Amino acid sequence: MSDSQQPSDFEPVDVFAETDGMDLRPGSDDCYKCSTCDTNCPVAEVDDDFPGPKFQGPEQWRLKRKDDYDIDDSITDCSNCLRCDTSCPSEVPLSQMHNTARSQYVDNQMSKLSVEYIRNRILSNYRTSAYLASLFPRTATFVMNFGPVRWVMEKGLGIPSERDFPEFATTTFRQWWKQRGGAQVQNPDKRVAYFHGCYSNYNTPEVAKALVHVYEELGYEIMVPEQKCSGTPMFANGMLSDARRHAETNVESLTAAIEDGADIIASCTSCSLALRQEYPELFDIDGIEDVSNHTYDALEYLRIYEDLEAELEGAKVDFPDLAYHAPCHSRNQGLDGQALELIENIDGVMAEDVGDSCSGISGTYGWKTEHYEVSMEIGEEMFEHMEHAEGDVGMTECPTCAMQMEHGTGYEIKHPLEVLEAALVSEE
């Protein structure tokens, strides 16, 4: 080897220019193009025109290093179910890439005056719409499902008239919580902060009440801190600036609860996923790692810290047979089997898993006219399994999966916490 070839003479080359944005190139380089993500993508399975998560993530990140490369508009066809994350053998941060790319597409390429942008902004800020509806809940429920109004919403905003808007509660969870005088149990050794999310507050307070009753029966002191939307619908619609504003409030109030000795629990698996995975992936807010490390799904927390098998011993409930669907965001957290394992300890309750298919609605995805048929096609396998199951009542932890299950089968849908409430909490 000549002197000119000595390794000490090597001069590294800065291939990629410095950037102030998030650099996902290491994750992109970990992809070895096995296509497992594509074969597990429910959208790609039914839509031949969708290029799949491998293109949306690693390949697009490589291409975008060129200054003149725009984000492909097919990024808006990703449903954000996160099945690509779950399936990737190399732990490539696919959903993080998709969320970031979607945000850049919305910020730089989507017209802020377009019907699509206005519709997506309304859908992703459901908390604002639900708050206004909660001022006149019965009127809002009627108007939102009134035929001519639905026709206008479909033609003007692209919200499919086939879907029924959920009923708004006449008393929100937070109103109920205030009326009962807050926590009924004081216990600094067993303290939790409940992140109820928008849907349990405005539409299904019975789920939030079931959580309160179950946790208080087991001796927990419950805090209900100030909170805004978890941000899940905003991630899915590329509205990261909106999501960050909500996250800043949530992290500040939840960090204070942690300092008071509480862990954080959520009854919606999309909310728990946002707090413990998507927040630290997307934002750099003080305390965000603490919030991530102290957040649990409500059932998961009880299974870790309580002997539920002993608590449920002898419990007998007269309950209808259930057809259970595990949400994608539950699977992403490794929690897809927990509800069935829990329910099987209760005499009188039979729950049957209806398979591992996606429900198809994926939050706001199925609430868009251009995605409605794809959403229903994805959900078809789940609908068929539910109809062949023994139970004619559905069960799931995700509120939008519950909408899709009800929409596709007409079944009443329960949350596992409601079953647990029936088994553990005696009627007064």
Side-chain angles (χ1 to χ4, degrees):
M1 181 180 290
S2 68
D3 290 345
S4 62
Q5 293 175 308
Q6 291 299 318
S8 59
D9 293 338
F10 172 72
E11 291 291 336
V13 177
D14 186 6
V15 177
F16 299 106
E18 291 296 326
T19 175
D20 294 330
M22 298 177 71
D23 186 358
L24 296 178
R25 184 167 55 89
S28 176
D29 289 346
D30 287 341
C31 171
Y32 59 91
K33 302 183 179 181
C34 68
S35 298
T36 304
C37 58
D38 287 348
T39 58
N40 281 274
C41 173
V43 177
E45 184 176 359
V46 302
D47 182 358
D48 292 338
D49 294 330
F50 183 61
K54 183 177 66 178
F55 171 80
Q56 304 288 359
E59 293 182 5
Q60 187 144 244
W61 273 97
R62 294 185 186 108
L63 288 171
K64 78 182 290 298
R65 292 294 177 179
K66 299 178 180 177
D67 291 338
D68 59 349
Y69 180 78
D70 288 334
I71 301 294
D72 192 86
D73 60 7
S74 62
I75 191 67
T76 61
D77 294 330
C78 164
S79 70
N80 201 40
C81 69
L82 276 65
R83 287 199 169 223
C84 48
D85 271 3
T86 310
S87 63
C88 178
S90 300
E91 298 182 348
V92 175
L94 288 151
S95 65
Q96 185 182 4
M97 293 176 172
H98 301 159
N99 283 329
T100 309
R102 196 158 35 236
S103 175
Q104 292 183 5
Y105 175 82
V106 171
D107 288 346
N108 303 324
Q109 295 169 236
M110 182 179 278
S111 168
K112 304 306 178 287
L113 298 177
S114 66
V115 170
E116 184 182 10
Y117 177 82
I118 294 169
R119 185 269 316 273
N120 292 356
R121 194 85 191 268
I122 293 172
L123 288 176
S124 61
N125 283 276
Y126 177 72
R127 182 178 183 274
T128 301
S129 307
Y131 167 75
L132 295 173
S134 73
L135 301 177
F136 307 97
R138 291 189 178 89
T139 303
T141 300
F142 172 77
V143 170
M144 296 293 276
N145 288 294
F146 186 49
V149 174
R150 297 310 310 278
W151 184 87
V152 170
M153 292 176 73
E154 180 171 75
K155 300 303 180 186
L157 287 174
I159 296 177
S161 58
E162 290 89 343
R163 291 206 179 275
D164 295 325
F165 267 90
E167 185 175 350
F168 293 98
T170 53
T171 303
T172 68
F173 168 68
R174 292 189 77 91
Q175 289 169 340
W176 173 82
W177 179 257
K178 185 176 180 180
Q179 289 169 5
R180 82 193 291 256
Q184 304 297 300
V185 173
Q186 306 298 319
N187 187 349
D189 295 327
K190 296 177 71 173
R191 185 176 284 167
V192 291
Y194 178 30
F195 190 88
H196 49 69
C198 306
Y199 203 75
S200 286
N201 186 41
Y202 294 111
N203 298 95
T204 56
E206 63 272 15
V207 172
K209 292 177 189 176
L211 179 145
V212 169
H213 292 148
V214 168
Y215 268 73
E216 288 191 339
E217 180 74 15
L218 296 171
Y220 284 88
E221 178 180 342
I222 300 172
M223 305 168 66
V224 182
E226 179 189 3
Q227 57 193 265
K228 293 188 175 181
C229 175
S230 68
T232 298
M234 299 165 191
F235 305 148
N237 285 285
M239 309 287 178
L240 287 192
S241 297
D242 289 353
R244 183 183 178 90
R245 285 195 293 275
H246 289 251
E248 287 172 345
T249 297
N250 294 334
V251 170
E252 181 179 356
S253 62
L254 294 175
T255 301
I258 292 169
E259 290 172 353
D260 283 341
D263 285 320
I264 303 156
I265 56 170
S267 50
C268 168
T269 46
S270 294
C271 290
S272 60
L273 178 75
L275 295 178
R276 65 180 175 186
Q277 177 178 320
E278 290 170 311
Y279 275 19
E281 283 182 348
L282 297 169
F283 307 127
D284 56 352
I285 303 169
D286 285 345
I288 207 162
E289 290 293 342
D290 258 358
V291 169
S292 172
N293 293 333
H294 284 83
T295 296
Y296 299 84
D297 169 77
L299 291 182
E300 174 192 22
Y301 193 78
L302 292 180
R303 281 166 55 85
I304 292 172
Y305 292 106
E306 300 294 326
D307 186 355
L308 284 181
E309 191 171 338
E311 294 287 347
L312 292 170
E313 187 175 357
K316 188 171 184 179
V317 179
D318 183 14
F319 217 83
D321 292 343
L322 298 162
Y324 173 69
H325 165 73
C328 293
H329 290 179
S330 172
R331 295 179 183 279
N332 188 271
Q333 298 173 80
L335 304 175
D336 45 305
Q338 64 169 0
L340 288 180
E341 291 174 8
L342 186 61
I343 297 303
E344 69 181 12
N345 292 304
I346 307 172
D347 286 343
V349 183
M350 199 285 287
E352 182 178 349
D353 191 344
V354 296
D356 62 359
S357 60
C358 175
S359 74
I361 191 168
S362 283
T364 61
Y365 182 81
W367 279 90
K368 301 172 183 176
T369 303
E370 67 270 25
H371 294 151
Y372 175 75
E373 292 298 335
V374 171
S375 165
M376 294 301 289
E377 195 171 346
I378 293 172
E380 189 60 37
E381 184 177 338
M382 181 191 71
F383 303 148
E384 289 179 3
H385 285 171
M386 286 182 68
E387 288 168 354
H388 286 96
E390 292 292 327
D392 52 8
V393 171
M395 182 174 72
T396 190
E397 297 97 323
C398 172
T400 51
C401 286
M403 286 183 204
Q404 182 83 328
M405 295 164 78
E406 184 175 5
H407 183 62
T409 65
Y411 287 10
E412 176 189 8
I413 311 298
K414 295 286 187 182
H415 192 288
L417 283 166
E418 294 179 273
V419 184
L420 205 56
E421 178 188 34
L424 287 176
V425 183
S426 56
E427 294 184 8
E428 296 180 356

